[in-house]
Amino acid sequence: MELAIGIILGCCALGAGIAMIAGIGPGIGEGNAVSKACEAIGRQPESKGAVTSTMIMGCAIAETTGIYALVIAILLIFVAPNIFVNVLLRAIGK
Amino acid sequence: MKREKDFKFILVDILLIIGIILPIVCGMVLDVLTSPAVDGVNITGARIYFTINMPIQDFPITEAQINSAIVVISLLFLCLFLTHGIKEKPDSIRQHIAEYIVEKTDSLVHDNMGRYFMSFAPFIAAIMGISLLSSLLSLVGLFPPTSDINIIAGWSILVFFIITHYKMKCGPLYYLKGLTEPIVLLTPLNILGEVSTPISMAFRHYGNVLSGSVISVLITAALQGLSQKLLGWIPGTLGQFPLLQIGLPAVLSIYFDVFSSCLQAFIFAMLTMLNISTAFPQEDYLARQRRKAEKRRIRNAGKMISTN
């Protein structure tokens, strides 16, 4: 009984950690975008406003997958354990 | 005579300012009265104030709904305040602010959506204002409605309906044909792409605001523990008082609350504009209008001949 609940809690924490591996992708992507934007501003300083707003836009879109992973991780930590433990208890019949 | 008019003007001004501030104060009072006493880490969703019994499913009234209503009322009075007593030649600061907002939104919509969509400027400004004020509501300690998925899902479903409406401007058959565009085999993926637009818009905004508030709460709790470890040896209440909590969370709040809120409001409005304007097949629509006009002309000509 305690073992089962312990496995549930541990697996939820592990799953949250594994889900956040998705943070690598947006990190690389946003880094690329910002470096290119810096190059562009260095070449043409007068186009700073347009480049900056486009870059922020692109960063926000690149961030999406990371945000999905974050939402899933938050759900796994704060919401899922309660639900899973309740399901287990109901299955046992307590 | 002039003096009395001035008095009336000031009175209306004061009433409008009260209209801006009063809903937020009411929300804070409601929050203080109903919040349960907890200490340490407490991350929950929106509290349910009361539930309305409905035949199919009960309808809970949550903190997020109340707070978004507060934001809407405050924004309404703010707009009334900014446009109160506008003249042809602006001489007050608030009229300058109002004109600045309108001009900025107009130019944004014109640059991103084109001339055809200029009537969308008030809608975009409304989305931006509501999103911004909702996120900034966390600065006064209230639950920000944007960190509840239901509120933002409502907005993005609204945007989804507008997008689909503009995709169907050339008729439903044109829209259905567009789903099978490169090859018929890709139809399921295209349908998935249609559905994923509102979901991704909602989750982007929600995830950003939620992550900010979760990180703020975690850091606040960690600072409490740290200050008890470091300063716990001081006797009396000073040792129990979380000294490190003063100031440091406010610095983080500048990024997580102020900057992130402004950015997300801008991005949500920007994505709305881009999605709507790219969904509209302008050339096909114009060609279709031209074809229709031609058909009508031919039919009218035929009628004229038959009546003659």
Side-chain angles (χ1 to χ4, degrees), chain A residues 46-92:
Chain A
E46 68 274 7
S47 68
K48 189 182 173 192
V51 169
T52 308
S53 65
T54 314
M55 181 199 75
I56 286 175
M57 195 66 216
C59 279
I61 292 175
E63 212 180 29
T64 311
T65 48
I67 292 291
Y68 290 165
L70 182 75
V71 169
I72 293 200
I74 286 174
L75 287 181
L76 273 177
I77 290 180
F78 293 110
V79 181
N82 267 332
I83 296 172
F84 290 160
V85 169
N86 281 343
V87 166
L88 179 77
L89 291 180
R90 219 177 297 134
I92 297 173

Side-chain angles (χ1 to χ4, degrees), chain B residues 54 70 142 231 239 258 298:
Chain B
M54 287 281 185
I70 286 170
L142 288 175
L231 306 168
V258 181
I298 291 169

Side-chain angles (χ1 to χ4, degrees), chain B residues 1-14 84 87 91 94:
Chain B
M1 191 63 208
K2 194 166 180 283
R3 225 196 149 90
E4 198 163 330
K5 198 181 168 190
D6 278 353
F7 175 71
K8 217 186 245 174
F9 190 82
I10 291 170
L11 191 72
V12 174
D13 258 12
I14 291 171
H84 181 224
K87 300 186 189 97
D91 56 348
R94 71 176 91 154

Side-chain angles (χ1 to χ4, degrees), chain B residues 4-304:
Chain B
E4 198 163 330
K5 198 181 168 190
D6 278 353
F7 175 71
K8 217 186 245 174
F9 190 82
I10 291 170
L11 191 72
V12 174
D13 258 12
I14 291 171
L15 282 179
L16 288 176
I17 292 175
I18 288 175
I20 297 169
I21 297 171
L22 192 66
I24 297 174
V25 173
C26 285
M28 286 165 80
V29 168
L30 203 63
D31 184 59
V32 168
L33 286 182
T34 58
S35 67
V38 284
D39 46 12
V41 185
N42 174 38
I43 296 167
T44 52
R47 284 199 307 278
I48 295 173
Y49 281 140
F50 56 90
T51 311
I52 298 173
N53 286 319
M54 287 281 185
I56 299 169
Q57 174 140 26
D58 286 350
F59 184 61
I61 300 291
T62 60
E63 212 175 355
Q65 283 160 325
I66 302 279
N67 284 358
S68 66
I70 286 170
V71 167
V72 170
I73 296 169
S74 276
L75 201 62
L76 170 69
F77 279 106
L78 184 67
C79 291
L80 286 177
F81 175 72
L82 284 178
T83 54
H84 181 224
I86 49 175
K87 300 186 189 97
E88 202 167 335
K89 279 195 172 176
D91 56 348
S92 58
I93 296 171
R94 71 176 91 154
Q95 191 176 345
H96 282 299
I97 294 173
E99 285 187 359
Y100 176 78
I101 293 171
V102 171
E103 275 173 14
K104 275 284 163 193
T105 322
D106 272 352
S107 75
L108 201 67
V109 171
H110 185 266
D111 289 348
N112 289 304
M113 297 175 84
R115 287 192 66 80
Y116 184 84
F117 287 101
M118 278 312 281
S119 56
F120 262 85
F123 175 69
I124 299 297
I127 273 196
M128 215 189 270
I130 288 181
S131 163
L132 181 63
L133 274 192
S134 302
S135 304
L136 288 182
L137 211 58
S138 62
L139 282 183
V140 293
L142 288 175
F143 180 84
T146 39
S147 69
D148 188 331
I149 184 73
N150 300 310
I151 304 292
I152 307 178
W155 303 345
S156 58
I157 287 170
L158 177 69
V159 173
F160 173 68
F161 277 124
I162 296 173
I163 290 170
T164 313
H165 172 251
Y166 272 95
K167 278 190 177 167
M168 284 192 183
K169 269 276 178 181
C170 294
L173 279 180
Y174 180 89
Y175 173 68
L176 290 178
K177 189 171 145 277
L179 285 180
T180 62
E181 214 20 82
I183 44 172
V184 184
L185 210 64
L186 285 179
T187 308
L189 279 181
N190 279 333
I191 293 171
L192 213 63
E194 290 291 295
V195 178
S196 78
T197 309
I199 295 177
S200 83
M201 278 175 77
F203 267 92
R204 184 176 296 123
H205 197 156
Y206 160 74
N208 270 295
V209 178
L210 179 77
S211 68
S213 56
V214 167
I215 291 170
S216 305
V217 169
L218 287 181
I219 284 177
T220 311
L223 283 176
Q224 190 180 14
L226 190 68
S227 62
Q228 269 181 5
K229 275 265 158 44
L230 285 180
L231 306 168
W233 52 271
I234 300 173
T237 52
L238 198 64
Q240 299 300 317
F241 190 73
L243 269 178
L244 289 178
Q245 267 187 11
I246 300 172
L248 270 176
V251 178
L252 287 167
S253 145
I254 288 176
Y255 176 77
F256 285 124
D257 289 336
V258 181
F259 178 71
S260 182
S261 310
C262 296
L263 199 61
Q264 289 311 313
F266 176 70
I267 284 165
F268 193 84
M270 202 72 179
L271 281 177
T272 306
M273 287 191 284
L274 292 179
N275 278 330
I276 292 173
S277 64
T278 51
F280 181 51
Q282 198 153 8
E283 285 163 15
D284 290 352
Y285 180 66
L286 289 178
R288 181 183 150 99
Q289 293 294 94
R290 228 175 289 131
R291 264 205 315 279
K292 265 190 173 174
E294 211 154 290
K295 248 184 213 169
R296 206 176 299 132
R297 217 181 52 229
I298 291 169
R299 206 184 305 140
N300 283 353
K303 254 184 210 167
M304 292 272 277

